[in-house]
Amino acid sequence: MLRCVQGGGKRLLLVAMKLPCSLYCSLWFLLLLGAGSLLLLVRLQDLSEMHVQQQTPGDKFMVAPRWPIQKDSGNAAVEHLDPGQAEGSRLKQENPAVSNRGGDLHQTSYYSPPPPSEDQAVGPKQPVTKRHRKLLLKTNSATSTAPAGQDEQQQQQHQQRLSSTLESRRRLLSEVCAKYQPGVTEQSVSRRQVSRIYVEDRSRLLYCEVPKAGCSNWKRVLMVLGGSAASTRGIPHDAAHYTNHLSRLEGHDSAGIAERLRSYAKVLFVREPFERLVSAFRDKFESPNSYYHPVFGRPIISRYRANATQAALRTGTGVTFREFVRYLLDVRRPVGMDIHWEPVSQLCNPCLLRYNFIGKFENLQEEANFLLRKIGAPSNLTFPDFKDRNPHAERTSSRITQRYFAQLNSTERQKAYDFYYMDYLMFNYPKPFKDLY
């Protein structure tokens, strides 16, 4: 067999040698081209396998999507929700019981941050861990409430000091209530005692209205949170107070009242009592007012002003601060009490309701914005700082308050201090005059 093969090879070689030179060269060229193509194909396959091995399974390159604005009829203020967050928001709206318990301020926000801008660089989408989400939430909370110009460490220290201050207010209120009103519990609450409390179910918030302590702007904020307004800026004063569509706690049944008192965040903002009193007097008696002049002004002038003119008795205008204080301190007032100067200790029943958050008008914007971040309000919602009632009048300050109370003698000032004594005690305001005891 070997001789046959060798013989066949010799015959092929003799045949090839007899072929023309051009045909012989073409044959070798085709053989070399085929071999080169085979080597190139093998090399390309090796490179493809190496690329697949080096690429990680989670690497995806895509443009970050821009979430559309959610046209939720129940909350016009909620924008840029991603599908998962929108579902969580819907569940909370449909079932208010799905949330934190015990009345603590809510730590989880169901509002998403604004989407990335279109000019952001396209890059790999990195996974967001639970720790990263907490860090982002903490950073956003700090930067939204801390003064500008602070670094991250200073912002964290600022937040810690503010949290400590708020906790000390709660502790002081608890101590005062234990001493002066022991045994008072929410089990005995009546509808009248919660008549000044507004409800915002989406944010699980209860707010007690304290006139002359930022209540107009707080109602604007509640309207935005509830979805009846898109912005606080476009809500007139009368709309905030008389057509706000806000729910009051007294409007719910007994079970609804008890559940909300147990599980919602209860918020109270207070103000230095004498300053709040002067602010109310300036607003209601020194400015034109079609209600307070005839309803309160006329009986006050009639009872406390000797030789009052017929014009003053008819219109009720021109009540002096001293006449107003005499009416306030009179146990037989010619006209009843009004919420604008009623003590907060009676208006909002803090010993009965045990508020989670006690803010102060003196730090209103800072503390209100801190609260809004805690309850997960939209990042673009901040507490407004505009004055729409008598906007050209100077805001009532401690200096203006001292000037008004200088019109009273020491006995009248002491009686006024006694009238607001529990407010001074519960909310840790210092004595406004040195001669008070």
Side-chain angles (χ1 to χ4, degrees):
M1 180 180 290
L2 181 60
R3 281 197 294 268
C4 291
V5 172
Q6 289 177 348
K10 289 179 180 181
R11 283 194 294 272
L12 286 173
L13 180 61
L14 289 173
V15 172
M17 290 176 64
K18 292 180 181 181
L19 292 174
C21 181
S22 59
L23 184 59
Y24 182 80
C25 293
S26 299
L27 180 62
W28 277 107
F29 176 77
L30 291 174
L31 289 173
L32 290 173
L33 181 62
S37 300
L38 181 61
L39 290 173
L40 180 61
L41 180 62
V42 172
R43 180 58 179 167
L44 289 175
Q45 184 176 2
D46 290 341
L47 290 175
S48 176
E49 291 175 356
M50 289 175 62
H51 178 70
V52 170
Q53 291 174 357
Q54 290 175 357
Q55 186 179 14
T56 59
D59 287 341
K60 296 181 181 179
F61 296 86
M62 62 183 67
V63 178
R66 291 184 62 84
W67 298 113
I69 296 176
Q70 302 295 317
K71 297 298 184 181
D72 186 294
S73 60
N75 191 354
V78 181
E79 297 181 353
H80 309 302
L81 287 175
D82 66 39
Q85 290 169 321
E87 178 65 12
S89 177
R90 183 185 65 79
L91 288 175
K92 288 188 178 184
Q93 295 167 13
E94 294 178 354
N95 185 7
V98 181
S99 183
N100 297 339
R101 295 296 182 183
D104 292 335
L105 291 175
H106 317 309
Q107 302 295 325
T108 304
S109 170
Y110 54 86
Y111 296 93
S112 72
S117 61
E118 293 179 344
D119 58 354
Q120 284 181 314
V122 178
K125 185 177 180 181
Q126 299 295 334
V128 179
T129 64
K130 184 176 181 180
R131 179 177 177 275
H132 190 202
R133 290 192 185 95
K134 289 183 177 179
L135 180 60
L136 288 175
L137 181 61
K138 186 176 183 180
T139 302
N140 290 336
S141 176
T143 55
S144 63
T145 59
Q150 291 187 345
D151 59 26
E152 184 176 352
Q153 183 178 3
Q154 290 175 322
Q155 291 170 355
Q156 292 178 356
Q157 292 174 350
H158 177 81
Q159 297 301 301
Q160 291 173 357
R161 286 194 298 268
L162 185 53
S163 297
S164 177
T165 297
L166 294 168
E167 179 57 32
S168 67
R169 291 175 190 168
R170 291 178 58 184
R171 188 165 53 248
L172 173 64
L173 177 61
S174 180
E175 293 171 356
V176 172
C177 291
K179 181 177 180 180
Y180 290 92
Q181 297 186 29
V184 176
T185 65
E186 290 181 355
Q187 302 298 326
S188 57
V189 68
S190 67
R191 293 185 184 277
R192 183 188 63 80
Q193 291 169 322
V194 298
S195 61
R196 306 313 310 176
I197 294 181
Y198 287 88
V199 180
E200 209 302 283
D201 283 316
R202 293 187 175 185
S203 300
R204 302 180 62 81
L205 186 71
L206 300 179
Y207 165 73
C208 185
E209 174 190 22
V210 178
K212 315 313 298 180
C215 70
S216 299
N217 282 333
W218 262 116
K219 288 181 179 179
R220 292 182 173 98
V221 168
L222 293 178
M223 291 172 69
V224 173
L225 288 174
S228 60
S231 169
T232 58
R233 180 62 61 176
I235 305 175
H237 178 272
D238 287 348
H241 284 281
Y242 307 119
T243 59
N244 52 40
H245 306 292
L246 296 176
S247 169
R248 292 198 186 190
L249 190 56
E250 65 175 345
H252 296 271
D253 58 25
S254 299
I257 292 175
E259 172 62 19
R260 287 169 174 82
L261 286 174
R262 185 183 67 84
S263 61
Y264 282 21
K266 291 168 284 190
V267 177
L268 173 65
F269 270 79
V270 298
R271 186 176 185 177
E272 203 282 334
F274 276 10
E275 187 174 308
R276 175 174 168 248
L277 181 66
V278 171
S279 178
F281 173 78
R282 295 177 69 205
D283 182 31
K284 304 306 179 188
F285 295 100
E286 291 187 344
S287 303
N289 194 296
S290 60
Y291 174 77
Y292 283 91
H293 289 181
V295 174
F296 286 86
R298 286 192 295 195
I300 288 175
I301 291 174
S302 176
R303 179 140 181 178
Y304 305 109
R305 183 181 299 180
N307 303 318
T309 65
Q310 289 300 315
L313 291 172
R314 184 178 66 257
T315 63
T317 59
V319 173
T320 67
F321 183 67
R322 191 170 191 178
E323 291 169 343
F324 173 64
V325 171
R326 290 184 65 187
Y327 142 78
L328 183 71
L329 303 177
D330 193 344
V331 294
R332 298 181 179 179
R333 300 184 191 95
V335 61
M337 183 57 63
D338 185 82
I339 62 172
H340 288 82
W341 43 83
E342 185 174 5
V344 178
S345 55
Q346 300 175 20
L347 185 68
C348 292
N349 299 287
C351 287
L352 176 66
L353 303 181
R354 304 299 172 97
Y355 292 87
N356 307 90
F357 191 104
I358 303 170
K360 288 195 172 182
F361 181 83
E362 291 75 17
N363 305 307
L364 179 59
Q365 275 198 297
E366 178 186 9
E367 296 181 6
N369 285 326
F370 179 82
L371 172 63
L372 289 175
R373 304 289 77 81
K374 283 290 187 182
I375 64 174
S379 59
N380 62 344
L381 175 60
T382 57
F383 195 82
D385 188 33
F386 52 84
K387 182 176 185 287
D388 59 353
R389 287 275 296 176
N390 308 311
H392 301 295
E394 183 180 359
R395 289 181 184 268
T396 302
S397 61
S398 59
R399 178 182 57 82
I400 292 178
T401 300
Q402 292 279 334
R403 191 177 73 210
Y404 275 81
F405 271 85
Q407 303 172 27
L408 309 180
N409 58 42
S410 59
T411 301
E412 290 168 331
R413 285 197 298 269
Q414 181 63 52
K415 289 182 178 179
Y417 177 74
D418 294 341
F419 184 82
Y420 290 106
Y421 177 72
M422 288 306 298
D423 282 13
Y424 276 100
L425 195 62
M426 286 179 172
F427 309 118
N428 197 30
Y429 282 107
K431 293 180 181 179
F433 292 92
K434 294 181 179 180
D435 59 349
L436 298 174
Y437 58 86

